[in-house]
Amino acid sequence: MTVWQTADPEARLTDAAAPPRETTPADAQAAVNFVVFEAEWLPEDCRVETVTRRPERPPGRPTDVSAEDIDQTPHSDGNPCSVRTVVAGEGRRLRLKQFLYDWAPSAASIAPLWRTPEPTPFECGDAVGWLGTDYKDQRGACVQRDRTQIELSVSEGEFTDDELTRLLDGLTPADPEGARRVRQVPFHRLDYWARYKCRPPVVPHGLWDYAPEHPYEDSLALSPVALRTDPPVPALVPSGEQFGFDSALAFSEADATELIFRNRENGSDHLWMLATDEESPLAPSLPPESSDQSGEVRESTDLRGTTVHYAALTEEQGAWEAIWAEDGVRYAVWAGASQYLDGEEFREVVDSLEAS
């Protein structure tokens, strides 16, 4: 049974925590909730030194265990899974970490490179990757491919930008059949926090200053029919064929609805959408303040017969976001960086959203 089929929402970690274990990318695929990638190309002097999988465990900490003991974040009680690959060469080393970024939209598509003044975009397979400085002040890069968050960090020595981009561009699914099975599962069924009914870390969502606590302990999956007939607040959905419905959750006590749509061109680029009552604790402030990440565009524009607050990391390749109020509901839309969208097209998507 795969992890997204076995999670018990009532389970909490009370026994000894399992440390990361050595594996291969192909073997790891059956035990994680994301598509696992492996490198088809490495610099001539480099080799894969280790591959380890951090197993998924229920939320919580035994009384004698710290987050550092089990290689988990101290910012929440969650224990989601991940795969870590160390690549080593002559006097240099880098780390590739893969996981499902499932507690918020990856902030402006550059979450691990946050506060890099001018991150550099590059084409990465059918997605857009980014080069910059990571939270450890090391040279880093990141990309989302097949919904998998892939984060690269140079821990020793130097790698050229061409080496980093070529490595990420050459990643391929380690187990194609296992990857196919994961792609068929709706995002919120894979989502660790929704499955275990627990609160995730609080993180920036993008260029507007918005970082709420998502109350996944009070979440209920919404089918497309329920989204039309019984949402907590009226939701808007993309018109046309560019984006397909992935999944949605109701936050009943918070009077909010969370929705995920996927770009049909690659099944990975996303619209992450939120609709809230004006008094909801999840309601974004209007007008929004700027976050502490630089961006190419932040402006208020006329769309949908009202004022929409629009921002873009770069106008050409994203990421993009919009926040506004309409008929007593506050809406927010985040679109990840994409080769199949630009700022003008994103604004057209926002302007053409229609009642579900």
Side-chain angles (χ1 to χ4, degrees):
M1 296 285 283
T2 49
V3 292
W4 67 85
Q5 294 173 310
T6 58
D8 177 359
E10 304 298 323
R12 292 298 180 264
L13 184 64
T14 58
D15 59 350
R21 58 193 62 171
E22 288 200 27
T23 185
T24 67
D27 287 345
Q29 182 63 80
V32 299
N33 59 340
F34 54 90
V35 173
V36 178
F37 289 84
E38 62 183 347
E40 283 202 330
W41 178 89
L42 293 174
E44 286 187 5
D45 66 309
C46 290
R47 71 190 189 284
V48 172
E49 187 174 74
T50 59
V51 179
T52 55
R53 174 177 63 85
R54 186 174 64 185
E56 176 177 302
R57 298 301 303 277
R61 303 279 185 268
T63 55
D64 60 343
V65 173
S66 70
E68 291 77 12
D69 291 336
I70 53 175
D71 193 30
Q72 291 284 20
T73 174
H75 303 299
S76 79
D77 286 336
N79 298 303
C81 55
S82 64
V83 172
R84 176 188 173 110
T85 302
V86 175
V87 174
E90 296 178 4
R92 56 185 185 161
R93 179 175 278 101
L94 61 80
R95 178 267 288 158
L96 277 173
K97 182 179 179 182
Q98 303 179 54
F99 61 98
L100 185 68
Y101 200 115
D102 55 0
W103 59 95
S106 177
S109 288
I110 57 164
L113 311 179
W114 195 246
R115 298 192 183 95
T116 296
E118 294 184 5
T120 304
F122 62 93
E123 290 191 5
C124 189
D126 58 2
V128 174
W130 299 89
L131 292 165
T133 303
D134 70 13
Y135 55 91
K136 294 182 178 180
D137 290 328
Q138 297 170 338
R139 188 60 172 169
C142 63
V143 66
Q144 277 200 8
R145 297 181 65 177
D146 268 344
R147 302 189 298 192
T148 298
Q149 177 80 0
I150 304 169
E151 299 181 354
L152 182 155
S153 181
V154 177
S155 56
E156 181 183 341
E158 294 185 358
F159 290 81
T160 67
D161 288 352
D162 181 66
E163 287 176 324
L164 299 182
T165 58
R166 187 174 175 186
L167 193 160
L168 288 181
D169 186 45
L171 293 175
T172 58
D175 174 4
E177 179 58 26
R180 185 190 65 80
R181 288 193 296 269
V182 173
R183 291 189 196 103
Q184 293 176 337
V185 181
F187 180 82
H188 285 113
R189 281 193 63 201
L190 298 172
D191 189 325
Y192 176 92
W193 316 94
R195 288 187 288 117
Y196 281 103
K197 303 291 185 183
C198 61
R199 292 213 173 193
V202 174
V203 295
H205 285 41
L207 301 177
W208 296 121
D209 185 16
Y210 180 74
E213 286 190 289
H214 290 256
Y216 286 112
E217 73 277 10
D218 174 46
S219 62
L220 178 68
L222 289 175
S223 68
V225 173
L227 190 62
R228 291 193 301 270
T229 60
D230 192 30
V233 292
L236 298 173
V237 300
S239 59
E241 296 299 319
Q242 185 175 19
F243 289 93
F245 177 77
D246 181 308
S247 54
L249 290 181
F251 298 123
S252 300
E253 292 187 11
D255 292 323
T257 304
E258 179 177 281
L259 307 93
I260 306 291
F261 292 83
R262 295 285 166 190
N263 195 316
R264 297 184 193 276
E265 291 285 349
N266 65 357
S268 183
D269 298 350
H270 66 269
L271 294 181
W272 186 302
M273 305 176 65
L274 191 68
T276 77
D277 183 83
E278 289 182 320
E279 302 301 319
S280 168
L282 295 179
S285 299
L286 289 175
E289 299 290 331
S290 296
S291 70
D292 57 356
Q293 170 62 47
S294 60
E296 190 175 292
V297 181
R298 283 185 179 91
E299 64 184 21
S300 298
T301 187
D302 293 328
L303 292 172
R304 306 188 60 79
T306 188
T307 299
V308 172
H309 304 279
Y310 165 74
L313 184 64
T314 72
E315 184 73 353
E316 182 178 355
Q317 293 177 293
W320 308 271
E321 54 200 75
I323 296 175
W324 74 97
E326 184 177 327
D327 297 329
V329 177
R330 294 195 181 180
Y331 294 99
V333 181
W334 298 271
S338 174
Q339 296 183 27
Y340 306 101
L341 203 63
D342 60 24
E344 181 178 354
E345 290 168 326
F346 171 77
R347 291 189 295 273
E348 290 175 357
V349 169
V350 170
D351 204 31
S352 64
L353 293 172
E354 57 190 20
S356 57

